[in-house]
Amino acid sequence: MDMLLQVGYLITAILFIMGVMRLRSPATAKSGNLIAASGMVVAFVVTLVQYHSFSWLWIGLALILGAIVGSYAALKVRMTAMPQMVALFNGMGGGAAALVSIGELHSQWSVGVSSAAASIAALLTVLIGSISFTGSLLAFAKLQEWVRGRPITFGGQKLLNGLLLAVALVLGIMMIVSGGPHALPWLGVYIVLAALLGLLLVLPIGGADMPVVISLLNAFTGLAAAATGFLMSNNVLIIAGALVGASGTILTQQMSRAMNRPIHNIVFGAFGQVAAGAG
Amino acid sequence: MPHSLLTEIYIFVLAVFVGFQLISKVPSVLHTPLMSATNAIHGIILVGAIALAATVKGPLDVGISVAAVFLATLNVVGGYVVTDRILGMFKKKSAERPTE
């Protein structure tokens, strides 16, 4: 790979870590966010220089539109609505990761070349990214009160989740063993299953617990980005994704501890609460 | 196992340890801004979306890459601005406190 790209990505990784370090104290937090953002700019610029052979019209349009919509939404929203905005943008990241892997897998399968390692990384990204996408969107809708904020549960929900996950995993293994153009419909089924899982994960969670779940989904998106890094042999994706995945997991733990509840109680607790409420 | 994959696993494992260490002890007031800031950081997937756009050929793949670039840009820009706003509120609060 190109020298400029690698050096740029190294600088980005350093700036990301320094940024998060400064975010650990209220006095330096704002500069930490700025440092992390400048790391993003470095990665963005060297990537544009390295991979300039795309359609500038379409990619330029997507970039400009994304920047306008993103900054407008983020500036316009009320301060009290910040958690759902984090959820929304997190979902966008998860969706982007899933799309990148779907696109990469589709173009690899179309010409018939794909290693098992690449397929594993891609299918993991699609699974985690899609869960994060639909889960975050539902978290947003619940906090925005577009959907009833109270936990929504029904009988056999845990069983259904387990079953869906098992089917998705079997399907994933099938596609790893025999990827290719013929497997594309199965990839479609796999995406739908993952998207459903994201919804089912967030449905039983009440509004008050939502920040913890958003933090968990944030860690998911980080892992999805890291898996995409393995797929595309892109070190900065691996580093930043692993950083967010790990720090997001710890953060989720600390947030649930601050609420005096273990994390599994928040994610799966609604079932017990409903039973207790009915009894 | 190819050598490059092994190197990537090294990098992943070390970055995971850094991530764990970074957030080991933070005051709970910083939980939301940290979540929001790391949310912006995984917008780095934008880099992957651009790389995909440069390598794919067919109209479907190009469409997928354009959609990915759009979503990732939302994540980066929105995530950064939201974090900045959360931290701005934060600063004001702590500045007001001494005068109370």
Side-chain angles (χ1 to χ4, degrees):
Chain A
M1 251 206 216
D2 194 54
M3 192 67 182
L4 175 76
L5 193 74
Q6 292 307 321
V7 173
Y9 284 174
L10 177 63
I11 293 171
T12 299
I14 293 168
L15 289 174
F16 278 171
I17 294 170
M18 279 172 58
V20 177
M21 275 170 78
R22 292 182 74 84
L23 272 152
R24 292 181 306 178
S25 146
T28 55
K30 203 151 179 164
S31 68
N33 189 35
L34 201 70
I35 289 171
S38 58
M40 190 67 75
V41 172
V42 172
F44 176 66
V45 170
V46 294
T47 306
L48 279 190
V49 172
Q50 174 82 10
Y51 301 98
H52 47 76
S53 62
F54 47 74
S55 151
W56 280 87
L57 174 69
W58 285 106
I59 296 302
L61 227 84
L63 284 168
I64 292 168
L65 214 65
I68 292 174
V69 174
S71 51
Y72 179 79
L75 286 171
K76 196 87 197 316
V77 71
R78 286 170 293 112
M79 284 319 277
T80 48
M82 283 302 171
Q84 55 260 51
M85 288 317 280
V86 175
L88 187 64
F89 294 133
N90 177 54
M92 298 300 113
L99 280 176
V100 170
S101 282
I102 292 166
E104 185 75 29
L105 212 52
H106 179 248
S107 68
Q108 281 190 10
W109 281 357
S110 302
V111 290
V113 284
S114 86
S115 67
S119 296
I120 292 171
L123 291 168
L124 261 179
T125 310
V126 174
L127 181 70
I128 305 169
S130 303
I131 288 176
S132 177
F133 179 66
T134 55
S136 300
L137 286 187
L138 182 58
F140 170 78
K142 275 194 167 196
L143 287 175
Q144 198 74 7
E145 285 168 357
W146 291 355
V147 176
R148 212 161 53 114
R150 279 182 47 213
I152 298 169
T153 52
F154 52 85
Q157 198 164 351
K158 267 182 175 169
L159 190 73
L160 180 66
N161 288 1
L163 208 69
L164 284 180
L165 185 64
V167 173
L169 289 180
V170 170
L171 212 57
I173 292 167
M174 266 172 53
M175 287 187 284
I176 291 162
V177 174
S178 72
H182 63 277
L184 284 172
W186 294 114
L187 182 62
V189 176
Y190 180 81
I191 295 167
V192 171
L193 283 176
L196 260 176
L197 266 171
L199 293 177
L200 286 169
L201 181 76
V202 177
L203 262 183
I205 292 160
D209 291 338
M210 212 48 95
V212 180
V213 176
I214 295 169
S215 175
L216 185 69
L217 292 170
N218 183 39
F220 274 24
T221 308
L223 287 178
T228 313
F230 281 103
L231 171 66
M232 306 184 93
S233 298
N234 185 318
N235 289 343
V236 82
L237 281 181
I238 296 177
I239 295 172
L243 205 65
V244 176
S247 61
T249 307
I250 296 285
L251 200 60
T252 309
Q253 251 177 22
Q254 292 200 5
M255 283 168 89
S256 52
R257 199 175 299 152
M259 296 173 76
N260 261 326
R261 290 169 61 191
I263 178 70
H264 60 85
N265 183 264
I266 288 175
V267 177
F268 301 113
F271 303 102
Q273 278 172 15
V274 169
Chain B
M1 192 185 281
H3 191 262
S4 62
L5 179 61
L6 199 63
T7 313
E8 285 165 4
I9 293 173
Y10 263 107
I11 293 171
F12 177 78
V13 171
L14 291 177
V16 164
F17 274 105
V18 172
F20 280 151
Q21 286 304 312
L22 275 177
I23 313 290
S24 57
K25 266 186 194 133
V26 285
S28 59
V29 275
L30 281 168
H31 284 169
T32 309
L34 265 171
M35 174 171 81
S36 181
T38 53
N39 171 46
I41 286 176
H42 66 51
I44 190 71
I45 190 67
L46 176 61
V47 162
I50 292 172
L52 176 72
T55 51
V56 291
K57 293 281 181 295
L60 176 65
D61 291 333
V62 171
I64 290 175
S65 69
V66 169
V69 168
F70 175 67
L71 293 187
T73 311
L74 277 177
N75 185 184
V76 170
V77 176
Y80 169 71
V81 175
V82 160
T83 312
D84 199 60
R85 283 191 65 194
I86 292 174
L87 289 171
M89 175 176 66
F90 207 81
K91 216 173 190 178
K92 232 176 278 162
K93 254 190 205 157
S94 51
E96 277 165 9
R97 211 164 279 153
T99 60
E100 273 169 12

